Amino acid sequence: MELLPTIWFIAIAVLWTGYLFLEGFDLGVGMLMKLFARDNTERRVLLNTVGPVWDGNEVWLLTAAGATFAAFPLWYASLFSALYLPLLVVLVALIFRAVAFEYRGKVDTEQWRTRWDWAIALGSFFAAFGVGAALALTTTGLPLNANGDREGGPFAWFSGYAVLGGLAVVGFSLVHALAFLALKTDGDVRHRARKWFVRLLPVLLLPLAVWALGIQFLEGKPWTWALVLLAVAAAAGAWVLARKGAEGRAFIALGAFLALGSASIFAAVFPVVLPSTLNEAFDLTITNASSSDYTLGLMSIVAAFGLPLVIAYQAWTYWVFRRRVSAAHIPEAHSFLPAIAARAFTTKG
C-alpha cells in the first residue's frame, strides 16, 4: 500500500471528523433556535455561544473539500459531480445561515427576527442533512461507471443510505449542541440543555450507530469492530457524566464517540474512497484516485506547517471566549437599520 495516499486518506478522515465535531454543535444550536429556545432572550443566548466561533468552524469544511480535491482529484470529481444537487442545497443553506447570523439583530421587530430565526434553523438542518448524506454515500457507494461518472438521472444518488447519513449528522448535531449549551451557558438554559441531553442522547445517536454498524457488517474487520464497541462505551460515558452534572467531561466523551465511530467507518472501507454500486471493479481507491507522489509530498510539507497554526489559532479563540453565557449578559435589543428601511423589510406583501 502506498504511504502518501494512505497518509492523506487518514488526514481527510480527520478533517471531516474535525468538521463534524466543531461545526456539529453550532449547526445543532442553529436548529435549536426553533426547537429549544423559548423566547428572544434565550435565542440570543444561543447565538452568543457560537457567535465567536461558527465562521471559523466552517473553515474545516473548506479544508476537507480542498484536501480531497488536491490529494484525490478523481474522488472529488466523482463525488461532487454525482452529488451536485444536494451539495448545492448545502451551499445555499450555509449562505442563508451566515446571512441570518449577521442580519437577525439589525431590526428590533418580532417579524424580522422570526424570519431570520427560520433561516438559521432551516439552513442548519439542510446543511447538516446534506453533509451527512454525502459522507454516507462516500462510504456506501454511488452508481459510478468505469470512468467514475454517475449513471442515471440527477436523483440517482438518493437512497436509504443517503437518508440515514443525513439523519445521523442531524441527530448528532442536535445532541452535540445540547452538550455544548450545557457546558457554555448558565441558568435555565444550562439546566434544560443537560436534561434534554440525557433524555435524547440514545435516540439522536441511533442513526449514526446504525450507519457505523451497517458499514461493519458490510466491510468490517475485527479491529474496526473494537472501535465501534469503544464508541458505544464513550456514548454511555457521556450519558452517565451528564447525569452527574459533569458537563465538560460529557462533552469530551461525546467527542470521543464521534472520533471512534468515524474512525471505524473510514477504516472499514479503506482502501476504497468511493465504492461503485454497479461493479466493484469501478471502485475508486487510494491508488487509482490519488494525485502524484510529488503533489502529495508538497501538500504534506505545507500541511505540516499550516495545520498546527490553524489549530493553535482556533484553540486560542475558544480559550478567549471560554466563559459561560447567560440571559443576564444579554443587553437590550435595538435596531441598526433606519426606521424607513425597517418598515420596508417588515411590511407584509
Side-chain angles (χ1 to χ4, degrees), residues 237-304:
W239 186 81
V240 171
L241 290 167
R243 288 198 66 184
K244 293 181 178 180
E247 291 123 342
R249 285 180 289 172
F251 185 77
I252 293 172
L254 189 63
F257 163 80
L258 174 68
L260 291 165
S262 176
S264 73
I265 292 172
F266 279 103
V269 299
F270 179 84
V272 176
V273 296
L274 186 57
S276 171
T277 58
L278 301 180
N279 191 325
E280 289 185 2
F282 303 156
D283 289 350
L284 297 180
T285 68
I286 65 166
T287 301
N288 63 23
S290 67
S291 295
S292 66
D293 284 346
Y294 177 80
T295 300
L296 295 178
L298 185 60
M299 288 175 59
S300 300
I301 295 172
V302 173

Side-chain angles (χ1 to χ4, degrees), residues 5-304:
T6 301
I7 290 173
W8 274 99
F9 177 85
I10 296 171
I12 290 170
V14 170
L15 288 170
W16 279 114
T17 304
Y19 170 73
L20 292 177
F21 179 76
L22 293 173
E23 183 81 340
F25 66 75
D26 71 50
L27 289 173
V29 167
M31 288 183 272
L32 291 176
M33 290 281 289
K34 300 302 292 185
L35 297 174
F36 177 83
R38 293 175 173 173
D39 53 35
N40 182 50
T41 300
E42 289 194 355
R43 292 186 182 96
R44 292 178 67 192
V45 169
L46 266 60
L47 285 176
N48 276 269
T49 62
V50 298
V53 297
W54 69 267
D55 48 353
N57 293 341
E58 289 186 353
V59 170
W60 286 75
L61 174 62
L62 300 176
T63 306
T68 305
F69 170 75
F72 299 97
L74 293 181
W75 179 11
Y76 178 92
S78 297
L79 181 67
F80 278 66
S81 61
L83 301 181
Y84 181 84
L85 286 180
L87 292 178
L88 178 62
V89 171
V90 169
L91 179 61
V92 172
L94 289 174
I95 291 172
F96 268 91
R97 182 171 174 268
V99 171
F101 275 131
E102 299 296 333
Y103 275 78
R104 183 187 184 275
K106 299 300 184 184
V107 177
D108 185 22
T109 69
E110 189 64 29
Q111 187 181 31
W112 173 271
R113 287 192 295 265
T114 298
R115 291 175 178 176
W116 292 118
D117 288 343
W118 277 112
I120 294 172
L122 293 177
S124 299
F125 171 81
F126 283 109
F129 190 92
V131 168
L135 290 176
L137 292 172
T138 298
T139 58
T140 58
L142 287 164
L144 303 178
N145 60 24
N147 295 322
D149 298 325
R150 183 197 66 214
E151 295 284 345
F155 293 97
W157 57 271
F158 187 79
S159 66
Y161 287 120
V163 175
L164 177 63
L167 292 177
V169 173
V170 168
F172 175 78
S173 296
L174 287 170
V175 74
H176 198 32
L178 291 169
F180 178 74
L181 291 176
L183 175 65
K184 196 68 174 65
T185 63
D186 214 344
D188 186 52
V189 172
R190 173 187 180 183
H191 300 306
R192 283 177 24 235
R194 188 173 66 215
K195 179 181 72 174
W196 284 108
F197 174 83
V198 172
R199 287 183 179 180
L200 296 178
L201 181 143
V203 176
L204 293 177
L205 292 186
L206 183 60
L208 185 53
V210 171
W211 176 12
L213 288 172
I215 293 295
Q216 299 310 311
F217 280 116
L218 291 172
E219 306 287 348
K221 309 166 182 69
W223 68 277
T224 60
W225 274 103
L227 291 175
V228 172
L229 295 177
L230 290 173
V232 173
W239 186 81
V240 171
L241 290 167
R243 288 198 66 184
K244 293 181 178 180
E247 291 123 342
R249 285 180 289 172
F251 185 77
I252 293 172
L254 189 63
F257 163 80
L258 174 68
L260 291 165
S262 176
S264 73
I265 292 172
F266 279 103
V269 299
F270 179 84
V272 176
V273 296
L274 186 57
S276 171
T277 58
L278 301 180
N279 191 325
E280 289 185 2
F282 303 156
D283 289 350
L284 297 180
T285 68
I286 65 166
T287 301
N288 63 23
S290 67
S291 295
S292 66
D293 284 346
Y294 177 80
T295 300
L296 295 178
L298 185 60
M299 288 175 59
S300 300
I301 295 172
V302 173

